[in-house]
Amino acid sequence: MNWLGSLQQLGRAVMLPTMVLPSAAILLCVGSLPWAAWGLPGVAEVCTWAGQGIFYFLPYLFAVGVAWGLANQAGPAGLGALAGMFIYDQITRHLGNGGIQPSTLIGIIFGMIAGSAYNRYKHIKLPEIVQFFGGSRFVLLFMGLFSALFSWVMVFIAPLLQKALNELTMLMAHMGGFGLFLYGILYRILTAFGLHHLLNNVFWFQLGTYKIPSGSIVQGDLPRYFAGDPTAGTFMAGLFPIMMFALPGIALAIIQEAREDLKPKVKKTFLTAALVCFLTGVSEQIEFAFLFAAPYLFILHSILSGIAMWITYALDIHHGFSYSAGAIDYLLNFHLSHNALLLIPIGLGYGLVYYFLFRWAIRRFQIPTPGREEGSTLEDWAGNIPYQAPLILEALGGKDNIVQVESCITRLRLTVKNDRIIDGNALKLLGSAGLIKLGGGNVQVVFGTYSELIREEVNKLLHRDLPQVLFSAPVQGKMIPIEEVPDHIFAAKLVGDGVAFMPEKGELVSPVYGTIMHLYPTMHAIGISTPEGLEVLLHIGIDTSQLKGGHFTAVVQEGDAVEPGQLLVKFDINYIRSHASSLATPMVITNPDRVKSWSFAPFKAVKKGQTSVMSVVLHDRNVGGLES
């Protein structure tokens, strides 16, 4: 596995424990209310101690979460990491000088070791007399022995590491606003690869120390902020103008520059994305709308983000968040902030700059943002995810291509056997905002906040052997519902059920594996029998059976075996367009009683042979034959 792919997995695992932080922020916020004046002082104590408890045990959460994430949700890995943290705490407490305590960095190290040990030794076989400790149980034994040795070594090394972190803190303080500027740029760039969590872990959870009244030491900009450190919050404050105002400004620019016929769908999608970004700080859906289409704009966006960090530093603004720099965290944690009201005018200024800058750039350079080209609009199809999942899986190369599939807030994070067979165009039509190949089979697919739901459905398919048949596009053109075919027989599904296409080129290819069971004399229609027993009819145009003059040329014969993408018929598309009732080309299953459920890709432009345009699940499991 290449280093970038390894960092992707680590970044995903490191992000997992941070999901508990919003609950800590809410508890601390509730605890700060004047409960004593209301006669309920106990509420304040419970909420405050509960919130502080999450931060106190954060290193343990990181240990378990990282191990659990790296080991594909394996319990023994998380248990081994937790045991390692207990051992570390006891050894450093009794053998150290009293200044050593667990940190998130130590938690991450134990999580990485436990996760890696589980992946390496989960199937280990030992001599029969000690085989009880074989398999996944060996990980617990290994972590116990490793943790004891590691913790003893850390008694001597930990002070040096703390000194190095203190030096880094002094360096960042010496660099001042320029250091924040560099951090802002790097944060934005790493966001594109899903690796920003690794950077943030250093600055948010390692940099700087603060001693709370109880005597404990908290580390990192984020825990120090919630512990009341007045110097904390510098590495988070500058993100609020970007998340709350700048990125929603881009969304509005994309809406305004969309084509009039596509603007309603784009407006619905990107107003939602803008609201989500404003409230929660989840920004990928907006950023990926222009990342691949205009990477130079993303570079400019990164620089402007760095400038925002510099501005907030220069104005001595301190603010923080538990989740991301959205309005919810802005209001929830406002009571701990300093000069945070200045973020509003800064944000409004940034929003206007971004809006007019992106409108000008999209129009000036003809950037194909969503809504400016057919098939580029992200659809709101959350309710159809169970039906779209088979098509997404096929676009990813099928079950046999998937090694591991995970998700974070806005993207699927996959390990595949061959990333070259992934159909990026099909994924785009199925709602993806971007596809990132990191090498070594490590891939990210941005689906926005639906990613977790998609992961669940894809995992269900990976663990079930459904009697399923997948269909490719038989022509290049636009897919339309069968009900829109201008012919009553097809539109009423009297011939069969399926979809139709408006072809743009005069070539018809096979959508499935099968055998040619019937070729009409005029060659305008062809029937295919699949190994699963489905009978598929492809009919080029409407009222084309009466056309004379050899405008259809078949390159296959009855009885021939065919596969998806194989050329079947060439036809004179210009002649048919002029002399037939319609170019609409139905693809229907003439024995639909065999089908239990249907799945259709969005009715948009498709490429000839493109996978994942239709999927059906059969009633019985006696499917046999080749898989399509």
Side-chain angles (χ1 to χ4, degrees), residues 218-286:
V218 293
Q219 288 182 300
D221 201 48
L222 192 152
R224 288 191 293 114
Y225 178 80
F226 285 99
D229 185 353
T231 66
T234 55
F235 286 93
M236 295 179 283
L239 296 175
F240 284 98
I242 302 299
M243 301 300 190
M244 291 174 57
F245 298 97
L247 286 166
I250 296 175
L252 295 179
I254 290 174
I255 293 171
Q256 292 301 318
E257 292 301 318
R259 284 169 23 192
E260 289 301 321
D261 57 324
L262 297 177
K263 187 171 290 187
K265 290 183 178 180
V266 175
K267 184 177 182 179
K268 178 182 179 182
T269 298
F270 278 87
L271 279 182
T272 301
L275 183 61
V276 168
C277 189
F278 174 77
L279 290 176
T280 69
V282 176
S283 61
E284 277 89 341
Q285 185 169 346
I286 299 174

Side-chain angles (χ1 to χ4, degrees), residues 515-521 527 556-561:
T515 303
I516 303 299
M517 65 176 184
H518 190 67
L519 180 62
Y520 286 75
V556 292
Q557 301 177 0
E558 292 184 1
D560 286 354

Side-chain angles (χ1 to χ4, degrees), residues 456-483:
E456 292 179 0
E457 294 300 327
V458 170
N459 271 330
K460 289 179 184 178
L461 294 174
L462 292 175
H463 293 93
R464 285 190 299 177
D465 185 22
L466 291 176
Q468 175 179 295
V469 182
L470 294 153
F471 288 75
S472 303
V475 296
Q476 177 172 317
K478 181 180 179 180
M479 189 168 80
I480 61 174
I482 193 68
E483 294 84 358

Side-chain angles (χ1 to χ4, degrees), residues 53-68:
I54 291 177
F55 284 107
Y56 181 82
F57 288 103
L58 198 58
Y60 299 84
L61 296 175
F62 268 94
V64 175
V66 169
W68 197 69

Side-chain angles (χ1 to χ4, degrees), residues 229-519:
D229 185 353
T231 66
T234 55
F235 286 93
M236 295 179 283
L239 296 175
F240 284 98
I242 302 299
M243 301 300 190
M244 291 174 57
F245 298 97
L247 286 166
I250 296 175
L252 295 179
I254 290 174
I255 293 171
Q256 292 301 318
E257 292 301 318
R259 284 169 23 192
E260 289 301 321
D261 57 324
L262 297 177
K263 187 171 290 187
K265 290 183 178 180
V266 175
K267 184 177 182 179
K268 178 182 179 182
T269 298
F270 278 87
L271 279 182
T272 301
L275 183 61
V276 168
C277 189
F278 174 77
L279 290 176
T280 69
V282 176
S283 61
E284 277 89 341
Q285 185 169 346
I286 299 174
E287 289 180 305
F288 277 85
F290 66 91
L291 170 60
F292 299 104
Y296 50 87
L297 273 182
F298 192 84
I299 293 174
L300 178 60
H301 166 50
S302 301
I303 294 173
L304 290 173
S305 298
I307 293 174
M309 300 291 295
W310 200 337
I311 291 174
T312 55
Y313 175 83
L315 295 177
D316 193 30
I317 300 174
H318 299 260
H319 206 338
F321 47 78
S322 61
Y323 178 67
S324 188
I328 293 175
D329 261 300
Y330 177 85
L331 295 174
L332 194 63
N333 309 316
F334 186 84
H335 64 289
L336 296 171
S337 67
H338 177 68
N339 288 337
L341 284 176
L342 293 176
L343 292 173
I344 302 301
I346 295 173
L348 291 173
Y350 255 80
L352 291 174
V353 169
Y354 268 65
Y355 173 75
F356 289 109
L357 173 63
F358 273 77
R359 282 204 67 178
W360 172 82
I362 291 170
R363 187 179 303 174
R364 173 66 177 81
F365 301 107
Q366 294 298 304
I367 300 171
T369 50
R372 292 179 62 82
E373 60 175 357
E374 189 69 32
S376 63
T377 305
L378 297 177
E379 294 288 350
D380 182 12
W381 45 265
N384 293 325
I385 286 177
Y387 305 102
Q388 301 285 14
L391 304 177
I392 293 173
L393 180 59
E394 180 66 10
L396 292 170
K399 293 173 64 173
D400 293 338
N401 194 41
I402 304 297
V403 177
Q404 182 177 343
V405 55
E406 295 292 339
S407 66
C408 62
I409 301 170
T410 57
R411 63 187 85 189
L412 293 181
R413 296 172 180 257
L414 304 116
T415 303
V416 298
K417 295 178 181 178
N418 184 359
D419 59 17
R420 289 176 294 181
I421 65 175
I422 294 178
D423 192 336
N425 187 64
L427 289 171
K428 182 179 180 182
L429 294 176
L430 288 165
S432 167
L435 171 66
I436 306 170
K437 297 181 180 181
L438 299 175
N442 293 282
V443 176
Q444 297 178 2
V445 187
V446 180
F447 277 108
T449 50
Y450 300 143
S451 296
E452 177 62 23
L453 297 176
I454 294 172
R455 181 197 66 82
E456 292 179 0
E457 294 300 327
V458 170
N459 271 330
K460 289 179 184 178
L461 294 174
L462 292 175
H463 293 93
R464 285 190 299 177
D465 185 22
L466 291 176
Q468 175 179 295
V469 182
L470 294 153
F471 288 75
S472 303
V475 296
Q476 177 172 317
K478 181 180 179 180
M479 189 168 80
I480 61 174
I482 193 68
E483 294 84 358
E484 294 184 9
V485 173
D487 179 87
H488 174 71
I489 301 298
F490 282 110
K493 304 181 182 179
L494 299 179
V495 178
D497 200 355
V499 295
F501 302 84
M502 299 298 293
E504 297 174 351
K505 292 186 177 180
E507 292 184 342
L508 180 77
V509 301
S510 176
V512 290
Y513 289 98
T515 303
I516 303 299
M517 65 176 184
H518 190 67
L519 180 62

Side-chain angles (χ1 to χ4, degrees), residues 16 71 87 101 104 141 187 220 257 280 307 325 394 419 597:
L16 182 63
I87 292 172
Q101 63 183 48
T104 55
L141 176 63
Y187 172 87
E257 292 301 318
T280 69
I307 293 174
E394 180 66 10
D419 59 17
S597 63

